[in-house]
């Protein structure tokens, strides 16, 4: 008999989590089983309406559609039930309505646009009156655009989606937004369908400096089709016809994602979205073809996910200026209530950082990020942009009468469901994790971008691939990344296998660069989706693209199998060098390492034996060219060792020597970060997998610049593009490339979950492998997996550590605790005690200690630096820049090298001896 506690959750359709709709004729189906320990599912069945059940796999992770193709517009009830190993069936789940929302047949409606525009990227509005017969029982609206839009019926928004239909590879893939509008119709009445449109991503200028230009088009356009379903089965379609009327005189005068939005309330046409409005003065629209065939995309839309209120008012040196601190670096837009005489202007400026008490907008480059509102003098007005967003923490408001209490900040992102949480006994790591989450949220607006504030905001492939594992731990981002990968495939297809560095790609020259670590997104991101989300289908779908990329790299590398030609970004933004593309790690070594990685992933994905042979050839060439018999790499840089070790390029007999060298180099640098975008995500794993837990801990918990924790000391609430985006003296890095919301270096978030707390999802397996960081007393992670909720928690208890784990139904756990052989457990709640004798007290260190001993003492390097800085900042900078914490030399000698006075030497000595008190 089935236990009463067995509970089915689902089913759900497709990859997106917010609604259960079918964007394609054969959507995948998923469900989870919440069951007591010991109960196991043997098989499952799906039932569509009242048809005969169809047998499917026991575990519902993106199960292929087992029925006939869905017909567009069809509605069905879907149920699931599961049979246990005892041959007993659960009851059928409650019915989930499945509606096939893809457009019936090819889209033929032209788009509506301004006929003879008098300005570039001009916003406009269109309306159409509709006589709704009293026989209408249901209705669905589809809208596409060259740009972004909002739609309403009788002035009521049709949904809460923003920036629809999103940004895709417009010339090859155009989104089609759809919503059920039945509840908004009044059968027997005349109603108004209205749409506002602006250029959004379609008309934006892309590029850098004087090279920026519009890529997709100069003008916005919008197309809508409303299908009315009648009682007798008839379908009435209202599309692009002569009854649409257009006005270019809207409140929105101009709108740009980078520039911001200008609104003039004096241009308002009251009631234009409602029946009875006189639109006789409006014009007929032009009809143009869409850039590509529109199609519904299975992905969550951008929405307002929260609203922040009560920003802190800061003192401002400028009279009549309201300066506000939101309290965190966010992505969204400001809403406020303003009053003033007709023609008065309210200007809202945004920035991520202050300098000398004022907005520092230099990092925004050509993005003005200014919203302006011209008041009409009729009383208080709610001011807020409709079609732009900004990345900011600080807001400056001038003009009009604005009550700070009226200011609200709408935080916007793609509406992904949170799935991963981490916490531990060190508040700094918790804050780091929160910053990582916030940065992904800010860069998950329609697609995975690099930054949300400056004149860029592009889907850089390198950023996406290094952060993909963290993203899919924190959020159910399957639909989000699947959509982006389809854009990647669309952009790759005409390029002979090459993957552009940004997707979508509006930067033809720069985008055509074939770069290791960037183009490899085509192999790495699908592989991460398969491992973390169980999405084997996306790997099968992308496999031809994965092969094409590896084939293109093989051609570039030639028969020698070393990819040493062409431009490479390499270990981008290595903090030990001044040029972002001139990292210490040799670019050919880095590129060849990624060549191996991608060839190996293609082989593992079923690409064929040829790719397995290719991977081995690349490995052999790599070792021959770059690896010495002693385990040293020709490029003696931390990123080089980290990548070679993490990717499995170094033979077993030389791995330890290579890992020892990595640890040596990191200690020589005082355990400050010495890796950039590509080396950073793997450096902790390279250490932990080879017995260097202490070095990994010193690196993770370092507070000096550059480090993961340093930005916290500077008030950071998001991850930075550069380790030193804000320097210790409080000044912003002078480069024109300084984002304070950039998630790439936050790829360490995956390590916090996988290693610090100890939970990895690998398909239908859980890997429990906690790293018992000495400085921590406990750590925990919770993960909503495709099978259900998993959890690992560990806590010190005297000379033992208690480890508890929750393994979801349908998963098997591999457990590594360090004090016993690896073992496996099945679903359920588990608890183990791990022997963990207390570490012996550390010997005190001082200025007469060996440099390596000092560096290996937690916090010592930072203490030395701070003591020097308290005396002379220039001396501190000089010391930190040249010191190598290597054995065989005393700290006193190094202090003498910077002419530290005896009093300073004594202060350093005292600070070191206070470390363990």
């Amino acid at each position: 008999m089935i236990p009463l506690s067995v509970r089915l959750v689902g089913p759900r359709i497709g990859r997106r989590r917010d609604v259960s709709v079918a964007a394609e004729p054969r959507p995948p189906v998923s469900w989870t089983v919440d069951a007591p320990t010991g109960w196991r599912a043997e098989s499952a069945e799906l039932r569509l309406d009242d048809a005969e059940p169809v047998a499917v796999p026991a575990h519902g992770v993106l199960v292929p559609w087992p029925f006939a193709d869905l017909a567009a517009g069809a509605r069905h009830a879907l149920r699931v039930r599961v049979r246990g190993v005892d041959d007993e069936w659960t009851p059928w789940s409650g019915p989930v309505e499945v509606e096939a929302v893809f457009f019936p047949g090819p889209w033929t409606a032209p788009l509506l646009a301004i006929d003879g525009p008098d300005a570039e990227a001009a916003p406009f509005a269109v309306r159409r009156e509709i006589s709704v017969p009293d026989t209408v029982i249901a209705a669905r609206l589809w809208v596409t655009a060259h740009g972004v839009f909002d739609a309403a019926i009788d002035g009521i928004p049709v949904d809460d989606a923003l920036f629809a239909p999103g940004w895709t590879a417009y010339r090859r893939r155009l989104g089609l937004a759809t919503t059920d509008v039945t509840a908004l119709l009044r059968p027997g009445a005349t109603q108004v369908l209205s749409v506002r449109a602006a250029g959004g991503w379609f008309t934006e200028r892309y590029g850098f400096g004087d090279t920026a230009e519009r890529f997709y088009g100069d003008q916005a356009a919008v197309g809508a089709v409303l299908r009315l379903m009648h009682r007798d089965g008839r379908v009435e379609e209202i599309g692009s016809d002569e009854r649409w009327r257009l006005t270019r005189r809207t409140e929105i005068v101009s709108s740009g994602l980078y520039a911001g939005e200008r609104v003039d309330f004096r241009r308002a046409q009251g009631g234009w979205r409602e029946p009875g409005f006189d639109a006789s003065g409006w014009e007929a629209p032009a009809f143009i073809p869409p850039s590509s065939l529109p199609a519904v995309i299975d992905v969550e839309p951008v929405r307002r996910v929260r609203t922040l209120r009560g920003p802190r008012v800061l003192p401002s040196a400028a009279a009549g200026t309201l300066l506000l601190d939101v309290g965190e670096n966010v992505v969204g837009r400001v809403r406020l209530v303003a009053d003033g005489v007709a023609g008065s202007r309210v200007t809202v400026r945004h920035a991520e950082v202050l300098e000398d008490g004022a907005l520092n907008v230099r990092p925004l480059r050509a993005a003005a990020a200014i919203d302006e509102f011209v008041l009409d003098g009729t009383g208080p007005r709610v001011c807020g942009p409709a079609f732009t967003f900004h990345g900011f923490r600080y807001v400056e408001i001038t003009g009009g009468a604005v009550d700070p209490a009226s200011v609200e900040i709408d935080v916007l992102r793609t509406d992904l469901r949170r799935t991963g949480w981490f916490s531990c006994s060190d508040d700094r790591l918790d804050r780091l994790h929160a910053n990582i989450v916030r940065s992904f949220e800010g860069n998950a607006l329609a697609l995975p971008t690099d930054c949300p504030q400056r004149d860029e905001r592009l889907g850089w492939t390198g950023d996406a691939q290094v952060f993909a594992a963290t993203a899919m731990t924190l959020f159910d981002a399957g639909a989000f990344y699947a959509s982006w990968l389809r854009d990647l495939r669309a952009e790759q297809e005409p390029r002979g296998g090459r993957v552009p560095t940004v997707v979508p790609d509006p930067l033809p020259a720069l985008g055509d660069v074939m770069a290791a670590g960037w183009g490899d997104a085509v192999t790495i991101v699908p592989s991460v989706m398969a491992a973390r989300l169980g999405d084997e289908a996306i790997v099968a779908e992308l496999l031809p693209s994965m092969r094409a990329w590896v084939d293109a790299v093989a051609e570039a590398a030639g028969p020698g199998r070393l990819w040493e030609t062409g431009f490479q970004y390499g270990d981008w933004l290595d903090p030990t060098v001044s040029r972002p593309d001139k990292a210490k790690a040799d670019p050919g070594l880095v590129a060849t390492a990624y060549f191996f990685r991608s060839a190996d992933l293609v082989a593992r994905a079923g690409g064929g034996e040829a790719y397995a042979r290719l991977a081995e050839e690349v490995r052999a060439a790599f070792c021959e060219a770059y690896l010495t018999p002693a385990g040293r790499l020709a490029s003696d840089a931390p990123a080089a060792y980290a990548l070679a070790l993490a990717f499995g390029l170094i033979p077993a007999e030389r791995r330890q020597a290579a890992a020892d060298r990595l640890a040596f180099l990191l200690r020589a640098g005082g355990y400050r970060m010495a890796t950039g975008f590509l080396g950073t995500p793997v450096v902790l794993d390279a250490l932990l997998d080879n017995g260097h837990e202490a070095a990994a801990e010193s690196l993770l918990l370092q507070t000096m610049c550059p480090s993961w924790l340093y930005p916290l000391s500077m008030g950071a609430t998001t991850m930075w593009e550069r380790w030193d985006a804000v320097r210790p003296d409080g000044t912003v890095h002078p480069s024109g490339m300084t984002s304070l919301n950039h998630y790439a270096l936050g790829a360490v978030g995956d390590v916090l979950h996988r290693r610090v707390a100890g939970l990895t999802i690998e398909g239908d397996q859980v890997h429990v492998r906690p790293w018992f960081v000495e400085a921590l007393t406990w750590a925990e992670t919770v993960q909503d997996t495709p099978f259900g909720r998993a959890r690992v928690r560990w806590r010190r208890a005297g000379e033992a550590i208690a480890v508890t784990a929750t393994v979801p139904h349908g998963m098997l756990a591999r457990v590594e605790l360090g004090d016993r052989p690896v073992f496996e457990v099945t679903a359920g709640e588990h608890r183990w005690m791990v022997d963990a004798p207390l570490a012996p007290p550390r010997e005190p260190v001082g200025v007469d200690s060996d440099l390596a001993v000092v560096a290996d003492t937690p916090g010592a390097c930072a203490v030395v630096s701070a003591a020097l800085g308290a005396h002379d900042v220039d001396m501190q900078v000089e010391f930190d820049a040249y010191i190598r914490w290597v054995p065989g030399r005393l700290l006193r000698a190094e202090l003498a090298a910077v002419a530290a006075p005896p009093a300073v030497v004594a202060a350093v000595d005292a600070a070191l001896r206070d470390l363990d008190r």
Side-chain angles (χ1 to χ4, degrees):
M1 182 176 178
I2 291 288
L4 294 176
S5 53
V6 175
R7 186 171 65 94
L8 297 178
V9 180
R12 69 181 177 97
I13 306 301
R15 290 182 172 87
R16 63 187 287 187
R17 286 280 192 166
D18 59 330
V19 294
S20 185
V21 295
E24 55 187 310
R26 303 190 64 82
V29 182
S30 302
W31 65 90
T32 59
V33 177
D34 188 5
T37 301
W39 191 88
R40 289 190 298 116
E42 180 71 19
S43 62
E45 290 182 338
L46 289 171
R47 169 176 278 171
L48 196 64
D49 300 325
D50 294 323
E52 284 297 309
V54 176
V56 291
H59 304 296
V61 180
L62 297 170
V63 172
W65 185 253
F67 309 105
D69 287 5
L70 292 169
R75 292 174 183 260
H76 299 279
L78 183 67
R79 295 173 175 84
V80 63
R81 67 173 182 172
V82 177
R83 180 171 62 88
V85 292
D86 58 359
D87 213 32
E88 293 286 335
W89 287 94
T90 67
W92 285 102
S93 68
V96 171
E97 184 180 76
V98 178
E99 182 181 4
V101 300
F102 49 90
F103 194 74
W107 179 275
T108 58
L111 308 189
L112 313 176
I114 297 174
D115 191 0
D118 47 20
E120 288 190 343
F124 66 89
V126 292
R127 72 190 303 273
R128 189 193 190 283
E129 292 197 348
I130 302 165
S131 296
V132 183
D134 58 12
T135 57
V136 170
I137 58 171
R140 177 164 284 278
L141 176 68
W142 286 266
V143 187
T144 189
H146 290 170
V148 293
F149 72 88
D150 65 23
I153 293 178
D154 291 351
I156 302 172
V158 299
D159 57 27
D160 59 355
L162 302 171
F163 304 106
W167 186 12
T168 50
Y170 290 130
R171 295 179 177 178
R172 299 171 180 86
R173 188 167 175 258
L174 184 62
L176 182 60
T178 181
T179 187
D180 186 329
V181 295
T182 305
L184 298 180
L185 293 188
R186 293 181 288 114
T190 297
Q191 297 188 261
V192 173
L193 171 60
S194 62
V195 184
R196 292 190 303 177
W201 293 283
F202 192 88
T203 60
E204 191 52 77
R205 294 182 183 274
Y206 299 102
F208 305 100
D210 294 337
T211 67
E213 60 182 352
R214 303 191 198 280
F215 178 75
Y216 297 110
D218 293 336
Q219 297 296 333
V222 66
V225 171
L226 176 65
R227 286 171 60 88
L228 306 176
M229 279 63 81
H230 294 260
R231 284 195 202 95
D232 59 5
R234 276 186 308 116
V235 176
E236 180 182 355
E237 189 171 291
I238 298 170
S240 302
D241 59 23
E242 71 287 345
R243 295 183 60 185
W244 284 93
R245 306 300 293 171
L246 179 148
T247 182
R248 57 187 84 188
R249 183 179 171 81
T250 69
E251 294 177 6
I252 303 174
V253 179
S254 63
S255 180
L257 296 179
Y258 299 161
E261 200 157 280
R262 183 168 183 267
V263 175
D264 189 341
F265 291 112
R266 297 171 302 179
R267 293 160 53 107
Q269 301 186 55
W272 73 271
R273 303 195 93 153
E274 299 168 6
F277 175 78
D278 182 6
S280 59
W282 288 28
E283 60 189 278
F287 297 101
I288 66 170
S291 60
S292 57
L293 192 64
V296 174
I297 296 174
D298 182 30
V299 67
E300 298 88 348
V302 175
R303 290 190 173 103
R304 179 178 67 191
V305 294
R306 58 193 173 109
T307 297
L308 303 177
R309 298 177 175 86
R312 186 163 62 98
V313 179
L314 302 176
S316 174
T321 297
L322 183 60
L323 187 62
L324 302 175
D325 178 3
V326 175
E328 59 184 272
N329 199 9
V330 299
V331 176
R333 53 202 187 191
V334 174
R335 264 185 302 116
L336 55 89
V337 177
D339 200 358
V341 300
S344 57
R345 299 171 188 271
V346 178
T347 302
V348 183
R349 300 171 66 230
H350 310 77
E352 290 187 310
V353 65
L354 298 180
E355 207 162 38
D356 298 325
L359 298 189
N360 183 341
V361 297
R362 176 173 51 82
L364 301 180
R365 300 192 306 216
I370 296 174
D371 297 330
E372 183 181 78
F373 307 92
V374 181
L375 303 178
D376 59 1
T378 62
R381 278 282 196 174
V382 176
C383 302
F387 297 122
T388 191
F389 64 90
H390 309 287
F392 62 98
R393 173 172 175 169
Y394 300 97
V395 180
E396 179 195 272
I397 303 171
T398 56
V402 178
D403 181 355
S406 77
V407 178
E408 298 182 342
I409 296 89
D410 290 335
V411 180
L412 313 177
R413 64 167 166 84
T414 297
D415 193 12
L416 305 177
R417 188 176 72 92
R418 183 76 182 270
T419 54
W421 297 265
F422 168 87
S423 56
C424 70
S425 58
D426 190 329
D427 175 67
R428 299 172 303 171
L429 291 182
D430 286 352
R431 289 163 57 203
L432 171 65
H433 188 267
N435 288 1
I436 293 167
V437 172
R438 201 175 286 117
S439 271
F440 178 64
E441 288 184 307
N443 283 289
L445 198 153
L447 53 90
T449 57
D450 61 329
C451 61
Q453 73 297 90
R454 67 184 181 222
D455 58 341
E456 199 164 341
R457 315 183 197 186
L458 302 171
W460 286 93
T461 48
D463 301 55
Q465 73 88 0
V466 298
F467 196 78
T470 303
M472 291 178 220
T473 295
L474 298 174
F475 291 88
D476 187 340
F480 181 71
Y481 278 99
S483 176
W484 182 74
L485 284 170
R486 286 163 178 160
D487 282 316
L488 186 153
R489 179 180 60 191
E491 297 282 21
Q492 179 196 27
E493 283 174 349
R495 289 178 160 90
R498 299 192 319 277
V499 174
T501 53
V502 294
V503 172
D505 180 20
L507 305 173
L510 183 61
D512 277 343
V513 171
M514 186 174 166
W518 273 252
D520 297 280
V522 71
T523 62
I524 293 171
V525 177
S527 301
V528 172
M529 291 179 68
R532 301 300 176 89
L533 306 177
D535 198 342
E536 299 289 349
I538 197 69
V539 174
E541 181 181 335
L542 268 291
L543 188 56
S545 297
M546 296 165 67
R547 283 198 194 104
W549 166 251
V550 173
D551 292 346
V553 174
E555 182 178 351
R561 300 309 192 205
L562 300 176
W563 189 9
E564 298 182 322
T565 58
F567 171 81
Q568 294 290 348
Y569 291 103
D571 189 34
W572 184 254
L573 284 170
D574 174 346
T576 66
V577 297
S578 57
R579 280 278 301 272
D581 60 334
K582 303 301 180 186
K584 281 188 178 177
D586 178 75
L589 180 152
V590 171
T592 302
Y594 266 97
F595 181 14
F596 166 78
R597 175 74 168 143
S598 281
D600 186 54
L601 287 174
V602 170
R604 293 172 186 272
E609 181 60 31
Y611 291 93
R613 290 195 302 271
L614 175 62
E616 288 308 311
E617 290 169 9
V618 177
R619 190 206 307 265
F622 180 96
C623 293
E624 176 70 21
Y626 303 124
L627 183 64
T628 71
R632 293 281 188 94
L633 287 171
S635 180
D636 196 34
Y641 288 98
L643 289 165
L645 288 164
F647 289 176
L649 279 156
I650 298 179
E653 67 274 12
R654 285 181 276 181
R655 282 185 65 84
Q656 194 58 56
D660 293 348
R661 183 61 181 172
L662 170 61
F664 177 92
L665 292 173
L666 291 170
R667 182 178 61 192
Y671 294 111
R672 290 176 293 169
M673 293 305 302
T675 50
F677 275 28
L678 300 184
T680 295
V682 296
V683 66
L684 290 175
D685 282 304
L687 293 168
L688 293 170
D689 289 342
N690 295 282
H692 285 289
E693 289 84 358
E697 180 169 344
S698 295
L699 193 66
L700 176 63
L701 298 181
Q702 177 63 267
T703 58
M704 295 175 67
C705 180
S707 68
W708 279 298
L709 298 185
Y710 162 73
L712 299 179
S713 69
M714 305 305 293
T717 60
T718 44
M719 300 304 297
W720 295 349
E721 179 176 24
R722 294 176 177 271
W723 294 109
D724 60 346
V726 179
R727 294 176 162 182
D729 63 3
T731 60
V732 177
H733 194 285
S735 166
M737 191 179 69
T738 305
S739 162
L740 299 189
N741 196 346
H742 223 91
Y743 57 52
L745 299 177
V748 69
D750 186 48
V751 178
L752 296 179
H753 287 262
R754 282 190 301 106
R755 306 304 293 260
V756 175
L759 173 63
T760 307
I761 307 303
E762 300 170 343
D764 60 358
Q765 286 198 346
V766 170
H767 191 183
V768 177
R769 182 174 53 165
W771 167 26
F772 303 125
V773 179
E774 280 193 16
L776 300 182
T777 57
W778 63 271
E780 179 180 32
T781 181
V782 177
Q783 180 72 42
D784 284 343
T785 79
F787 292 83
R789 176 158 290 189
R791 182 192 308 262
V792 172
R793 178 182 176 89
W794 61 266
R795 178 180 288 275
R796 297 186 185 277
E799 294 196 3
I801 296 174
V803 180
T804 58
T806 302
V807 181
H809 176 265
M811 301 191 84
L812 184 69
R814 188 171 79 258
V815 184
E816 294 184 46
L817 299 177
D819 66 342
R820 69 201 73 180
V822 177
F823 61 98
E824 293 183 342
V825 296
T826 56
E829 303 285 338
H830 304 277
R831 188 174 189 272
W832 309 280
M833 296 301 296
V834 179
D835 291 333
L838 297 176
R842 292 181 181 273
E843 291 293 323
V845 293
V847 295
D848 292 312
S849 298
D850 185 271
L851 288 173
V853 175
V854 175
D856 285 337
T857 301
C861 294
V863 161
V864 174
S865 178
L868 290 173
H871 168 72
D872 185 331
V873 172
D874 290 338
M875 180 182 292
Q876 176 191 31
V877 171
E878 180 186 0
F879 181 87
D880 289 344
Y882 90 85
I883 180 69
R884 294 187 76 241
W885 300 90
V886 296
R889 187 168 169 84
L890 303 184
L891 176 57
R892 184 182 294 275
E894 294 300 313
L895 294 173
V898 293
V904 173
V905 174
V908 170
D909 193 58
L912 287 172
R913 296 187 184 282
D914 281 344
L915 270 175
D916 292 324
R917 292 182 185 175

